[in-house]
Amino acid sequence: NAGVVMPGQFTTLESRHFREMMDINYFGAVHTSRAFLPPLIQRKQPGHLCNVGSLLSVMGIFGYSAYAASKFALYGFSEVLRAELWPHNIHVSILLPPDTDTPQHSFELQYLPAETKAIAGNVKMLSADSVATTLLKGMAAQKFEIIPGLESQGTVLAQRLMPGVVRWLLRAPGTTLGPAEQAAWEAARREGWQPRLLAPGFGAYDEAMPADPAAGIPRGRARRARRRPACESAARGPAGPPSPVEHRPGGSRRRSR
């Protein structure tokens, strides 16, 4: 299937760019599959369908709102086809390549926002030949996801295991707390909680409960600090003294009532 890209911030891209990328990147694959799958099924022989996605089929990066949306759609389409074609002994794969040295990529570079260039940094670009070789090997192994390059494989794995960390690493330079994170922080402080910010721009706090349920602060923004006897009053702040702590044998403790 074919693929095109026009990078740019959502507020500057035109509606036609979104339509063009969906028409080519997503509907191009849909129409091609409609044309070839019926006779492939009727043959009652093993077959293989592979769609060419992108690393942006599984993650979003600043400046690719139109492109990533079309590639996310292609990933979902491929995953459903995989389930539906399995009984017909037709395998489905999707290629998730990083930046690849092609004329399309050269065209794309002139339109990249400065923030996107800063995020990309010195990411290694793969050759079209190496990507094609990985594609053929992946299809021969009947893999669903075919990811060229160890760096790209690590990126996809990290996105699934630690999505918040990846979002922080891929944030636009200069990003600070958003309104929701700032509200959670202030609400936690008012309630005498001590949220622990993991990193600037990370957009998340260390697990647990909302700081102020009445204010609708989402779960996962703040947590009550783990208190130790030496710093209880400091952690609690002006909201009042903590309840007494009674130490029990073996290092455990409980609050006296």
Side-chain angles (χ1 to χ4, degrees):
N1 58 290
V4 295
V5 56
M6 172 57 75
Q9 293 192 44
F10 173 75
T11 53
T12 61
L13 286 174
E14 300 176 20
S15 296
R16 65 182 179 87
H17 293 135
F18 286 83
R19 173 62 63 182
E20 179 185 38
M21 278 177 261
M22 286 300 295
D23 282 344
I24 296 175
N25 299 350
Y26 174 64
F27 283 108
V30 171
H31 297 323
T32 303
S33 299
R34 282 192 179 279
F36 284 95
L37 281 179
L40 197 60
I41 293 173
Q42 291 171 5
R43 288 172 49 192
K44 298 186 184 299
Q45 295 180 6
H48 205 129
L49 171 71
C50 183
N51 289 317
V52 179
S54 164
L55 275 185
L56 298 192
S57 292
V58 295
M59 61 193 299
I61 294 179
F62 189 104
Y64 287 103
S65 56
Y67 179 74
S70 68
K71 292 297 185 178
F72 264 74
L74 183 61
Y75 187 99
F77 174 66
S78 302
E79 196 161 37
V80 172
L81 282 186
R82 181 193 188 199
E84 294 184 358
L85 295 177
W86 184 263
H88 300 286
N89 201 18
I90 298 176
H91 299 279
V92 176
S93 299
I94 182 167
L95 179 69
L96 305 177
D99 286 345
T100 305
D101 188 10
T102 63
Q104 173 66 64
H105 186 262
S106 300
F107 168 83
E108 170 190 346
L109 291 177
Q110 60 186 313
Y111 296 102
L112 283 180
E115 295 88 345
T116 309
K117 291 180 180 178
I119 292 170
N122 297 318
V123 174
K124 181 182 178 181
M125 186 165 53
L126 301 183
S127 69
D129 286 343
S130 67
V131 171
T133 300
T134 303
L135 170 61
L136 295 176
K137 289 180 179 179
M139 291 181 67
Q142 297 183 352
K143 292 182 178 180
F144 172 63
E145 290 183 347
I146 303 174
I147 309 173
L150 291 176
E151 183 177 344
S152 300
Q153 294 169 16
T155 299
V156 173
L157 181 62
Q159 167 68 13
R160 284 168 178 162
L161 297 180
M162 303 176 291
V165 173
V166 174
R167 283 194 293 270
W168 175 66
L169 292 172
L170 296 179
R171 76 198 189 285
T175 300
T176 56
L177 290 179
E181 289 81 6
Q182 188 65 40
W185 178 270
E186 295 299 333
R189 290 176 67 87
R190 287 197 303 271
E191 293 298 318
W193 291 20
Q194 187 65 37
R196 180 168 57 146
L197 182 62
L198 298 184
F202 185 53
Y205 296 88
D206 201 4
E207 57 181 283
M209 298 294 291
D212 186 356
I217 303 302
R219 289 182 180 275
R221 298 302 183 193
R223 62 180 272 187
R224 191 177 296 275
R226 297 182 183 276
R227 295 186 178 86
R228 297 180 176 84
C231 61
E232 288 240 17
S233 58
R236 188 65 183 175
S243 3
V245 176
E246 175 186 342
H247 286 267
R248 304 175 66 185
S252 61
R253 60 184 182 176
R254 67 174 179 177
R255 294 193 181 278
S256 60
R257 300 187 179 278

